[in-house]
Amino acid sequence: MESSVDASRAVFERPGGNLAGTPLVVHGTYRREELLAAIGVGRADGDARMPGDVREGVVWVESTGIGALSVQLEKDSDSFTDSTMYADYAINDTLFHWQSQSATTPGSSSGRRLLGEHAQSFDLALFVRQRGNDDLGKGAPYTFLGLVDLVSYSGSKPISITWRLRRPMPQGLYLAARAAAT
């Protein structure tokens, strides 16, 4: 039986699925440009965008079948508008409440991809960081929480979704993500 201390430790393993051939490891930390390059943004064989040019919190890479969900837990009115103050937080160490972009409906292309109803199957990867900048004022890295599976959803513009993580969150990040619920 695994103790709670062992369960709270970061587990560095390959994510599998469409991410199996990437350098990403679950619970590894990555700058935005690194994670985007790893999932295929900027690849010569299909995605002409450059990682430094992508600013959205949801990125779809058709050529690799990967969707990346990037979450910042601490949001303030200096960096976020009222329409982007999404309710993103941990429910427990394996369930994460997440909201889509404010214009997304269940019937939109992005909504169908998120809900697994799109013609092309996408593996969804969740990346979370506590705040926007690190102690040096640079963009803080994201922790890769691995692939996620849809549990439930409700609403529209934005869609509120509960994701199940395949591996529990590291304890420190879980506590920060749980605090974001308040």
Side-chain angles (χ1 to χ4, degrees):
M1 175 124 187
E2 185 177 61
S3 74
S4 60
V5 172
D6 290 336
S8 71
R9 292 192 177 116
V11 177
F12 298 101
E13 63 182 33
R14 297 284 177 197
N18 293 342
L19 290 165
T22 71
L24 298 172
V25 292
V26 176
H27 299 165
T29 57
Y30 304 94
R31 300 264 180 214
R32 183 167 182 76
E33 292 77 12
E34 292 173 318
L35 72 89
L36 291 171
I39 66 167
V41 172
R43 285 176 48 161
D45 65 347
D47 193 304
R49 298 173 291 181
M50 293 307 297
D53 297 334
V54 177
R55 296 285 170 238
E56 297 82 21
V58 178
V59 177
W60 302 104
V61 182
E62 304 284 337
S63 62
T64 59
I66 298 168
L69 313 174
S70 301
V71 173
Q72 182 172 314
L73 297 171
E74 294 177 10
K75 300 172 179 81
D76 60 54
S77 59
D78 292 339
S79 302
F80 291 84
T81 65
D82 288 344
S83 66
T84 61
M85 296 283 273
Y86 304 118
D88 302 322
Y89 56 87
I91 297 168
N92 60 40
D93 65 350
T94 59
L95 293 178
F96 195 89
H97 179 274
W98 176 86
Q99 286 188 314
S100 70
Q101 293 166 313
S102 59
T104 305
T105 66
S108 68
S109 178
S110 187
R112 289 193 320 275
R113 288 174 176 172
L114 290 165
L115 304 177
E117 298 169 359
H118 192 265
Q120 180 181 351
S121 176
F122 285 85
D123 281 342
L124 297 174
L126 180 60
F127 298 87
V128 176
R129 66 182 177 184
Q130 189 167 352
R131 61 187 58 86
N133 291 321
D134 62 17
D135 294 338
L136 301 174
K138 304 283 186 188
Y142 291 85
T143 299
F144 175 41
L145 295 182
L147 295 173
V148 294
D149 300 303
L150 178 70
V151 174
S152 64
Y153 73 93
S154 64
S156 182
K157 295 185 178 184
I159 305 170
S160 292
I161 298 176
T162 298
W163 300 111
R164 180 176 313 283
L165 284 65
R166 296 181 184 178
R167 295 292 307 178
M169 279 182 240
Q171 186 68 20
L173 185 57
Y174 164 66
L175 294 174
R178 183 70 185 124
T182 57

